[in-house]
Amino acid sequence: MRLSRKAEDEIGFQLAPMIDMTFLLLIFFMVTTKISKEQIKVDIKLPIASNGIIPSDLSNRDIISIDGDGQYFIGQEPATREELSNYLKKRFEVVPPLKIYVRADKNTPGKKIKELMRIASEAGALNVIFGSYQN
């Protein structure tokens, strides 16, 4: 008695799941980029700095903006001094170390920038950079 062997299915590489994963990653990065660009939509005229240096690491920074009238913004949302202080302290607890990117209008009063630096140091900020245009 002879037993016949069934043809074994060849194991192949499935492209459909790989294509699906590629599209999911593409959508994720497109949404993430849009969200990070949305945080910088506060209308601010940055000062010009001829000796400005672009930092090598701009990731994982909270964007704090100050308009020409001295109003604070966390991302796009206006905030009071107390709200900003609470936000930065909470961020330091959740995701240390606290890194801040400050976008201050060229007409912002100096006392508002000094106040922001005091709030940031009380919250535990280790790295604060200021946005400017290069000359």
Side-chain angles (χ1 to χ4, degrees):
M1 177 163 145
R2 197 176 251 212
L3 295 173
S4 64
R5 294 182 110 191
K6 294 183 181 178
E8 293 183 22
D9 292 335
E10 286 187 34
I11 298 174
F13 187 70
Q14 298 288 329
L15 283 179
M18 295 298 289
I19 292 171
D20 291 344
M21 189 56 131
T22 303
F23 283 125
L24 287 173
L25 286 171
L26 180 65
I27 291 169
F28 170 77
F29 288 120
M30 287 171 43
V31 169
T32 306
T33 302
K34 181 167 176 51
I35 290 172
S36 62
K37 286 182 180 177
E38 291 284 326
Q39 292 182 354
I40 305 180
K41 285 199 173 179
V42 178
D43 187 29
I44 290 178
K45 295 176 182 89
L46 294 175
I48 297 173
S50 58
N51 295 332
I53 299 171
I54 299 173
S56 59
D57 181 27
L58 292 172
S59 62
N60 298 327
R61 292 190 180 272
D62 289 302
I63 300 173
I64 307 297
S65 302
I66 311 173
D67 66 6
D69 298 327
Q71 172 68 45
Y72 297 117
F73 291 87
I74 302 170
Q76 290 188 140
E77 301 298 318
T80 64
R81 182 187 191 290
E82 292 77 25
E83 290 171 340
L84 179 62
S85 178
N86 292 335
Y87 172 80
L88 291 178
K89 287 177 183 176
K90 206 171 282 186
R91 287 288 295 165
F92 179 70
E93 291 173 7
V94 175
V95 190
L98 182 59
K99 297 179 184 179
I100 301 174
Y101 172 41
V102 178
R103 298 180 67 243
D105 192 279
K106 62 183 177 181
N107 298 321
T108 300
K111 67 179 183 177
K112 284 296 199 176
I113 296 173
K114 186 176 178 181
E115 183 178 67
L116 174 64
M117 293 302 293
R118 185 176 301 116
I119 292 169
S121 67
E122 289 172 358
L126 297 177
N127 193 330
V128 178
I129 60 172
F130 287 88
S132 66
Y133 291 120
Q134 284 188 316
N135 196 7

